[in-house]
Amino acid sequence: MEERCISVKKKAFVTKVRPGSISEAIKNKLEELGFVVITPDDNWDIREGYPFPNDCQVMVNTAGVTDTAKPEEWDWEKANKVISVNLTGAAVLTSDFVKATAGTPWVKTIIHLGSLWSRKHATNSAVYCASKAGLAHYVACMGYDLNLHHPGEYTIIGLHPGNVQGTPMTKKVKSKLITERGFTMEQVETLYKGAITPADIADVVEKVLGNQWLNGENIYLPNGDKR
C-alpha cells in the first residue's frame, strides 16, 4: 500500500505587531523559519483571549502596558489596567492556547515577553515591575502544571529583556525620562548604550522553540556589552 506524507503547514501566533517593535522582529523571524504567522486585529485586547486554530504550534505574547504614576496617583482603574494586561491577560491567552491545541502530535511553545524589571527596581514603575514579576512566577508555576496535565506537549518560557533599542515603547520611555525624570539626552543615550535589539530577541525566540528542557524557565536578557 502506497504511503503518503501529509505536510502540516506550521502556524504561529504573535500579539499586536507594530513597525519597529519586538513583535515585528519575532514575526519576521518566524516567517523566515517557515511559519504562517497569525496576528490579531488592531482593536484586539489580550484580556479577551483568542480563538486559536487547533494546529497552531507557537504562541508569542508581547503585550504589555506601563504607567509611571506617582505613589499617590494609583487607583483601582490604573493598577488594574497594568496588572490585567500584563499578567491576567497572559494567563487567559495561555489557557485559550492550551484548550485549542492539547492533544496535537508536536511540542507546542508558549513564550511570554516580560521585563528585566521583574527582578529589578525602578522609580515610578512599582505596579509595572510587580506585574512582570507576577508574570515570571506564573511562567515558572505553569511549567509544572502543563507538565502534570499535558506531559511532553508544551514548553512555556518567559523572556525578560532590559532596555531595548529602537522600539516605539523605547521612544516613549526616553521622552518620559527627559520630561518627567529630569534626565538629559546624553544620560538617556548612555542608559541605552549597548541595549539589546528586537532582532536579538527574535534570535533568542528561534533558539528556544520546542526546547522542553526550558519548560517553566525565565530567561533574562540584560544590556549586551559587559565590561
Side-chain angles (χ1 to χ4, degrees):
M1 182 163 126
E2 182 183 355
E3 292 186 2
R4 292 189 301 169
C5 179
I6 300 174
S7 176
V8 177
K9 192 69 174 178
K10 299 187 293 184
K11 291 182 182 177
F13 171 90
V14 180
T15 49
K16 291 184 181 180
V17 174
R18 296 286 184 266
S21 66
I22 295 171
S23 54
E24 182 185 58
I26 293 172
K27 177 178 181 290
N28 292 342
K29 175 62 70 174
L30 289 169
E31 289 177 339
E32 287 175 14
L33 297 172
F35 284 90
V36 173
V37 179
I38 304 162
T39 58
D41 296 334
D42 285 344
N43 60 355
W44 174 77
D45 188 315
I46 187 174
R47 293 166 290 188
E48 301 170 357
Y50 193 82
F52 293 97
N54 175 255
D55 56 351
C56 195
Q57 299 175 37
V58 177
M59 187 269 278
V60 183
N61 166 33
T62 64
V65 295
T66 61
D67 195 313
T68 55
K70 296 176 182 178
E72 66 274 16
E73 293 174 344
W74 287 102
D75 55 25
W76 171 264
E77 184 176 352
K78 274 182 173 291
N80 188 53
K81 180 179 180 180
V82 174
I83 294 170
S84 63
V85 170
N86 295 351
L87 177 55
T88 310
V92 171
L93 200 63
T94 299
S95 180
D96 282 354
F97 182 75
V98 173
K99 280 187 289 188
T101 61
T104 51
W106 44 70
V107 177
K108 280 77 66 176
T109 303
I110 300 167
I111 298 172
H112 290 290
L113 261 289
S115 171
L116 186 65
W117 304 107
S118 63
R119 65 176 189 180
K120 297 185 71 172
H121 308 133
T123 53
N124 284 15
S125 299
V127 177
Y128 172 78
C129 293
S131 70
K132 293 299 187 179
L135 177 62
H137 204 63
Y138 167 79
V139 166
C141 294
M142 185 51 69
Y144 282 93
D145 285 352
L146 287 170
N147 193 53
L148 173 66
H149 296 281
H150 305 280
E153 280 200 52
Y154 293 92
T155 292
I156 185 169
I157 299 164
L159 298 182
H160 302 272
N163 293 333
V164 181
Q165 195 62 266
T167 69
M169 179 179 283
T170 295
K171 293 174 183 176
K172 292 179 182 177
V173 171
K174 284 184 174 182
S175 176
K176 286 189 175 183
L177 286 173
I178 293 170
T179 60
E180 297 181 8
R181 301 273 301 280
F183 280 61
T184 66
M185 180 61 74
E186 290 73 21
Q187 288 173 321
V188 170
E189 292 307 318
T190 298
L191 186 64
Y192 278 84
K193 183 179 180 181
I196 195 169
T197 68
D200 294 329
I201 298 170
D203 286 341
V204 176
V205 167
E206 177 184 3
K207 290 177 174 62
V208 304
L209 291 177
N211 190 328
Q212 292 180 286
W213 291 104
L214 293 176
N215 183 35
E217 293 297 320
N218 287 285
I219 300 171
Y220 296 89
L221 307 170
N223 291 3
D225 193 21
K226 292 183 172 60
R227 299 180 186 274

